[in-house]
Amino acid sequence: MGDLSEFNLSTRLFLKAYPWRRLEPTPWTPLKKPLAQSRIALVSSAGFVEHGDAPFDPKIKGGDCSFRFIHDDCDLSLLQESHRSETFDHRPMREDPNLALPIDRMHELVATGRIGSVNHRHLSFMGSITAPGRLVTGTAPTAAASLIEDSVDVALLVPV
């Protein structure tokens, strides 16, 4: 976890003034079956898009709340990262997308029997959504419906 002193003045002022939201009670659904029998999908906020897909739009006020499907068998080296935040170094996740979308790690867990299976597609959102209303009321239910349609048991959020 970073410290506010690591950011430039404008970012520090933004973070101090931002109206952070707290959900009470914390939304939680217990597992209905063991992980070793569960299908897992990844949900990343890295802003990844597959080659040929439209990038996230950094000009949308409050953030682009759309999402992209990332196919499980995609070539990770071809993923394009379009996260709009300038408050962190993007190079590490560009060099190793598994840092923000650990598809290879999930397959290793399947091979060892720790999880049952990996879904055929994952979800990628753009992080830094400062106006989340459209995300909460429109995009998130659509994204969740796609995971239900795929019979996903666990959605693992990988925040960036």
Side-chain angles (χ1 to χ4, degrees), residues 134-151:
R134 290 169 297 155
L135 176 70
V136 171
T137 60
T139 309
T142 302
S146 72
L147 298 178
I148 292 167
E149 176 184 314
D150 291 349
S151 300

Side-chain angles (χ1 to χ4, degrees), residues 91-150:
R91 287 176 300 174
M93 71 177 177
R94 287 180 181 151
E95 292 170 6
D96 182 5
N98 275 289
L99 294 172
L101 190 71
I103 291 175
D104 292 340
R105 304 298 77 84
M106 292 296 103
H107 286 281
E108 291 168 3
L109 291 170
V110 169
T112 63
R114 298 295 300 267
I115 61 176
S117 64
V118 180
N119 197 39
H120 70 280
R121 60 185 178 175
H122 307 283
L123 302 177
S124 177
F125 289 85
M126 160 114 81
S128 191
I129 304 294
T130 58
R134 290 169 297 155
L135 176 70
V136 171
T137 60
T139 309
T142 302
S146 72
L147 298 178
I148 292 167
E149 176 184 314
D150 291 349

Side-chain angles (χ1 to χ4, degrees), residues 2-92:
D3 185 87
L4 281 179
S5 65
E6 297 175 23
F7 298 107
N8 64 38
L9 179 62
S10 64
T11 300
R12 286 196 311 264
L13 292 173
F14 170 79
L15 292 172
K16 284 184 176 188
Y18 186 77
W20 300 99
R21 297 174 189 201
R22 190 172 205 99
L23 294 176
E24 298 291 342
T26 302
W28 180 259
T29 302
L31 288 175
K32 295 180 180 169
K33 57 185 171 182
L35 282 174
Q37 298 170 10
S38 297
R39 177 176 297 175
I40 313 293
L42 297 170
V43 179
S44 176
S45 62
F48 283 134
V49 295
E50 287 193 47
H51 182 72
D53 287 349
F56 289 92
D57 187 346
K59 294 182 178 114
I60 295 176
K61 186 174 172 111
D64 184 342
C65 66
S66 64
F67 68 91
R68 308 291 185 275
F69 288 115
I70 305 295
H71 294 89
D72 188 61
D73 61 356
C74 74
D75 181 344
L76 292 176
S77 69
L78 296 179
L79 285 180
Q80 299 171 348
E81 180 262 328
S82 58
H83 196 295
R84 75 183 189 150
S85 177
E86 297 175 9
T87 61
F88 68 95
D89 184 357
H90 295 231
R91 287 176 300 174

